[in-house]
Amino acid sequence: MRVRKIVTHVEEVLTEGGRPVDPAARVAVVAAVIENPWAGEGFVDDLNPGIDGTASPLGELLAPRVVEALNADVEAYGKAAIVGLSGEVEHGSALIHTLKFGDHFRRAAEASTLLPAVEKRGPAGIVFDIPMKHKTDATVRSHHQTVEIRIADAPHADEIVVALAASAQGRPQQRLADLSTER
């Protein structure tokens, strides 16, 4: 795995809807810009060697960093893979949609649900949203949220941006009724 750079983004929402948010709503994202392990190879039938050499080390690198950046207990989480224009969306999916990658974050966050994800292909500087859901109950509406990210110089055509997002709470000022109230 060849990492060009790691980007950490932390935001705190202090007011929402004209009202204070106390404590501040905290969200962290850590993204690694890596060389696409399949770059320059044309169409690759068997992605497993690239997955085996990249997915677990990448999860091991990112999971503790995003938990540390959040500096609070993780309540919601998500992931992303943004593939440069010379790659395939499947290259990003191959890295993040495997237990070799995701289990590192589940353990670090003490989580059990599937990690919501976004994957797409785009040029350097593309804006992408990382969806998040509650770490143990994906039906908890208050924790369905997204965080928007942009890395100005990534991904290059032969790179993939892989990111993890964590939130210390649900949406600020959330007021939706519990899913169980609907019939």
Side-chain angles (χ1 to χ4, degrees), residues 23-28 66-67 70-78 105-106 108-116 131-145 165-172 174:
R26 191 169 175 87
V27 176
V66 73
V67 172
L70 186 62
N71 195 30
D73 290 339
V74 175
E75 288 190 16
Y77 68 161
F105 198 10
R106 277 185 207 84
E110 299 176 356
S112 58
T113 59
L114 290 175
L115 276 154
M132 291 181 280
K133 291 191 177 187
H134 193 277
K135 69 178 188 175
T136 61
D137 184 350
T139 67
V140 176
R141 286 182 176 171
S142 59
H143 288 60
H144 293 196
Q145 57 190 308
S167 175
Q169 69 295 308
R171 295 181 312 278
Q174 76 82 25

Side-chain angles (χ1 to χ4, degrees), residues 18-179:
R19 295 185 177 189
V21 176
D22 187 27
R26 191 169 175 87
V27 176
V29 176
V30 175
V33 180
I34 66 167
E35 180 179 81
N36 184 333
W38 302 282
E41 294 186 28
F43 189 88
V44 177
D45 286 316
D46 183 4
L47 300 176
N48 285 316
I51 293 168
D52 290 341
T54 308
S56 185
L58 193 53
E60 188 174 26
L61 173 71
L62 295 176
R65 287 176 183 249
V66 73
V67 172
E68 181 182 339
L70 186 62
N71 195 30
D73 290 339
V74 175
E75 288 190 16
Y77 68 161
K79 62 187 174 184
I82 311 305
V83 180
L85 293 175
S86 292
E88 300 173 42
V89 171
E90 188 69 2
H91 296 163
S93 296
L95 295 178
I96 67 171
H97 291 304
T98 171
L99 296 177
K100 293 174 183 180
F101 176 77
D103 276 353
H104 290 284
F105 198 10
R106 277 185 207 84
R107 282 191 297 274
E110 299 176 356
S112 58
T113 59
L114 290 175
L115 276 154
V118 63
E119 57 270 9
K120 66 185 201 177
R121 181 175 43 220
I126 191 167
V127 175
F128 58 98
D129 291 341
I130 303 174
M132 291 181 280
K133 291 191 177 187
H134 193 277
K135 69 178 188 175
T136 61
D137 184 350
T139 67
V140 176
R141 286 182 176 171
S142 59
H143 288 60
H144 293 196
Q145 57 190 308
T146 59
V147 59
E148 183 178 283
I149 299 297
R150 176 182 177 272
I151 301 173
D153 68 341
H156 292 170
D158 62 349
E159 292 178 331
I160 303 174
V161 174
V162 176
L164 294 178
S167 175
Q169 69 295 308
R171 295 181 312 278
Q173 315 293 19
Q174 76 82 25
R175 300 181 288 288
L176 295 179
D178 188 68
L179 186 62

Side-chain angles (χ1 to χ4, degrees), residues 2-26:
R2 297 178 74 187
V3 178
R4 180 167 64 90
K5 70 193 253 180
I6 297 173
V7 176
T8 301
H9 170 86
V10 178
E11 66 180 45
E12 291 183 334
V13 176
L14 305 174
T15 62
E16 182 70 27
R19 295 185 177 189
V21 176
D22 187 27
R26 191 169 175 87

